């Protein structure tokens, strides 16, 4: 990466409309991209056995955990740095890249023992090739942070969309050509490669802007002050999100890991593919104007809850009907785990709105400590519950840990972000009431339809539709009434 001689431009301050526009670009393009990504995943699931997914899931888990060692807090430190200089960015890039190369070589060399331990019956060469993702990820760290910092969300959204569509298309072509498990590997490597190239190209205009912000006193001593907390948060978050594949793999084989991996990927989509995209905007906005963080936090929590909470009963009820029908009968074993993970995924997506506000307002130390406790608790819960109940136990471990984690964020995290817990509850109360009515209508409709002899799949779909219509009416009524006045 070549860095011009000028300083990076100061992040633009986001107005309320600008926040919505930026979030719309990040989520809209990402939803389109993920439609291709998840569409290709379903297509691949119908043509590949669960063991192939289990092999790549273990390799990908190792990649994502190791990327935090490659990043070691660089992204977050650039985001909160008031004026990163040319030399600072060059050092950050080469540091990340060299670590990525070394760790990639280590991962490739240890692919055999990794597969033998965590994905018995899997393909070691496939995991070895996934190690290429580490240096590719390193190339994109600094450009991605700069695009976020300068609020170039449209460019970043376009890069993400192209990378996801391109990698998904490559995987489909590969599996049609008979590549087998290598189509899943190609999907991951292509994604990392496209992101590295596109973010590097797109951030170059940003690097040419001159900063008009005077250098604050003491800034040179600030360069690494936040690194350790961002690093701790990143490592523990990635462990909490990926260690379950390894724990499941220790007590089973690649096929069971594959069932769990696909359930986790789909069920956590509200958090990983939606909330995290909005969170990037919230993080940048909080760093730019921390004085309005409290209002934005309450608004974002209410919006995320309005969009996602009504989907909790929908996903639970439709999973036994849709997943085997779409993926095939060999994937029936993932249904129970998916239902539990779906609840946890939506909960984590809502909590993430508070978390990103904490990072942007300088409270990454609090967020990192809470995440470290969550990670430790998740590992303990996984170790106990997987031995008792397999992949459903792994799912229950995430849900069990979520409850106290959410309470800490709602009580203590919200205050640090500038929002009182009472304000959050006031904002969420109409949503909770609407979802309660939705559940009541859904249960009543399902009981009536089954009593009338309607077939199982039809009765579930009709009851879910009736409940969803009720919640949509209750949640949209205030906005319709406002517009009519």
């Amino acid at each position: 990466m070549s860095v011009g001689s000028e300083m990076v431009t100061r992040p633009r301050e986001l107005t309320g409309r600008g926040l919505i526009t930026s979030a719309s670009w990040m989520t809209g393009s990402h939803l389109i991209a993920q439609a291709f990504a998840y569409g290709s995943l379903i297509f691949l699931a119908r043509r590949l056995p669960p063991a192939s997914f289990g092999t790549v899931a273990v390799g990908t888990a190792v990649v994502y955990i190791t990327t935090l060692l490659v990043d070691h807090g660089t992204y977050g430190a650039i985001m909160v740095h008031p004026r990163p200089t040319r030399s600072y960015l060059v050092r950050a890039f080469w540091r990340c890249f060299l670590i990525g190369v070394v760790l990639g070589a280590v991962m490739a060399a240890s692919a055999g023992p990794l597969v033998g331990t965590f994905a018995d019956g899997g393909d070691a060469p496939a995991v070895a090739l996934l190690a290429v993702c580490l240096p590719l990820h390193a190339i994109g760290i600094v450009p991605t942070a700069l695009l976020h910092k300068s609020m170039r969300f449209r460019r970043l959204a376009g890069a993400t969309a192209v990378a996801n569509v391109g990698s998904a298309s490559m995987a489909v072509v590969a599996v049609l050509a008979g590549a087998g498990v290598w189509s899943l590997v190609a999907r991951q490597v292509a994604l990392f490669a496209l992101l590295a190239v596109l973010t590097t190209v797109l951030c170059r205009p940003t690097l040419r802007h001159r900063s008009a912000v005077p250098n604050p006193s003491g800034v040179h001593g600030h360069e690494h002050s936040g690194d350790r907390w961002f690093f701790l948060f990143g490592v523990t978050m990635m462990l909490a999100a990926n260690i379950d594949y390894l724990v499941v793999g220790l007590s089973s084989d690649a096929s069971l890991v594959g069932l769990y991996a696909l359930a986790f990927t789909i069920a956590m989509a509200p958090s990983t593919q939606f909330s995290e995209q909005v969170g990037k905007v919230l993080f940048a906005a909080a760093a730019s104007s921390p004085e309005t963080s409290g209002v934005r936090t309450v608004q974002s929590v209410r919006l995320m809850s309005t969009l996602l909470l009504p989907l909790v009963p929908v996903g639970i009820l439709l999973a036994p009907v849709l997943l085997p029908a779409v993926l095939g009968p060999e994937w029936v074993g993932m249904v129970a785990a998916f239902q539990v993970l779906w609840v946890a995924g939506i909960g984590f997506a809502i909590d993430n709105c508070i978390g990103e506000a904490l990072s942007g307002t300088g409270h990454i130390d609090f967020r990192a400590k809470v995440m470290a406790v969550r990670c430790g608790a998740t590992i303990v819960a996984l170790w106990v519950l997987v031995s008792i109940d397999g992949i459903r136990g792994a799912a229950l471990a995430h849900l069990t840990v979520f409850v106290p984690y959410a309470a800490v964020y709602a009580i203590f995290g919200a205050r640090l972000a500038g929002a009182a817990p009472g304000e959050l509850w006031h904002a969420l109360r109409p949503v909770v009431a609407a979802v309660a009515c939705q559940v009541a209508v859904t249960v009543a409709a399902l009981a009536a339809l089954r009593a009338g002899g309607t077939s199982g799949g039809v009765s579930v779909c009709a009851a879910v539709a009736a409940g969803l219509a009720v919640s949509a009416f209750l949640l949209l009524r205030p906005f319709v009434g406002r517009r009519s006045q």
Side-chain angles (χ1 to χ4, degrees), residues 61 70 84 144 151 200 202 241 287 432:
V70 177
T144 300
M151 303 293 184
T200 300
L202 291 173
V432 173

Side-chain angles (χ1 to χ4, degrees), residues 310-467:
L311 298 181
V312 171
V314 173
I316 292 173
L317 288 173
L318 288 182
V321 177
L322 290 185
L323 291 180
V326 173
L327 300 175
E330 66 270 26
W331 294 94
V332 171
M334 67 180 275
V335 170
F338 171 86
Q339 290 172 312
V340 178
L341 287 167
W342 182 247
V343 180
I346 288 177
F348 284 127
I350 296 170
D351 264 4
N352 187 58
C353 296
I354 302 174
E356 296 294 355
L358 288 170
S359 295
T361 53
H363 296 292
I364 184 61
D365 55 337
F366 173 85
R367 194 181 185 194
K369 292 171 185 176
V370 173
M371 182 58 72
V373 175
R374 171 188 160 186
C375 178
T378 300
I379 293 173
V380 172
L382 284 168
W383 196 262
V384 173
L385 294 175
V386 168
S387 63
I388 296 173
D389 202 13
I391 62 173
R392 186 169 60 179
L396 285 168
H398 284 284
L399 185 58
T400 301
V401 172
F402 165 73
V403 175
Y405 175 81
V408 170
Y409 262 43
I411 297 171
F412 303 105
R415 284 198 181 97
L416 290 174
E423 292 178 301
L424 282 179
W425 171 241
H426 181 74
L428 289 177
R429 190 168 51 191
V431 183
V432 173
V435 173
C437 292
Q438 173 191 356
V439 171
V441 169
T442 301
V443 171
L446 185 59
L449 289 168
R450 285 181 173 173
T454 307
S455 63
V458 174
S459 63
V460 169
C461 292
V464 164

Side-chain angles (χ1 to χ4, degrees), residues 4-24:
S5 60
E6 306 298 342
M7 305 293 183
V8 179
T9 186
R10 182 185 183 182
R12 296 173 293 178
E13 187 170 320
L14 280 183
T15 62
R17 180 176 295 181
L19 178 65
I20 294 173
T21 301
S22 297
S24 298

Side-chain angles (χ1 to χ4, degrees), residues 64-196:
Y64 280 114
I65 291 172
T66 312
T67 55
L68 273 300
L69 299 176
V70 177
D71 184 302
H72 58 279
T74 300
Y75 166 84
I78 291 174
M79 284 294 297
V80 300
H81 197 297
R83 194 181 182 188
T85 62
R86 174 185 181 277
S87 60
Y88 175 71
L89 295 174
V90 170
R91 288 198 307 271
F93 170 78
W94 284 112
R95 187 171 63 242
C96 292
F97 183 71
L98 291 175
I99 293 173
V101 170
V102 171
L103 292 178
V106 171
M107 177 180 169
S110 59
L114 280 172
V115 171
T117 304
F118 300 109
D120 188 31
D123 195 327
V127 173
L129 184 56
L130 284 170
V132 177
C133 296
L134 294 175
L136 290 173
H137 171 74
I139 293 172
I141 290 172
V142 172
T144 300
L146 293 176
L147 287 170
H148 282 159
K149 187 176 181 68
S150 57
M151 303 293 184
R152 309 295 178 183
F153 293 110
R154 184 179 299 189
R155 293 178 187 174
L156 188 62
T160 303
V162 171
N164 277 279
V165 172
S167 60
S169 302
M170 183 175 292
V172 170
V173 171
V175 79
L176 289 175
V181 68
W182 295 100
S183 57
L184 291 169
V185 175
R187 181 173 179 265
Q188 290 297 325
V189 173
L191 178 63
F192 278 82
L194 287 170
L195 284 173

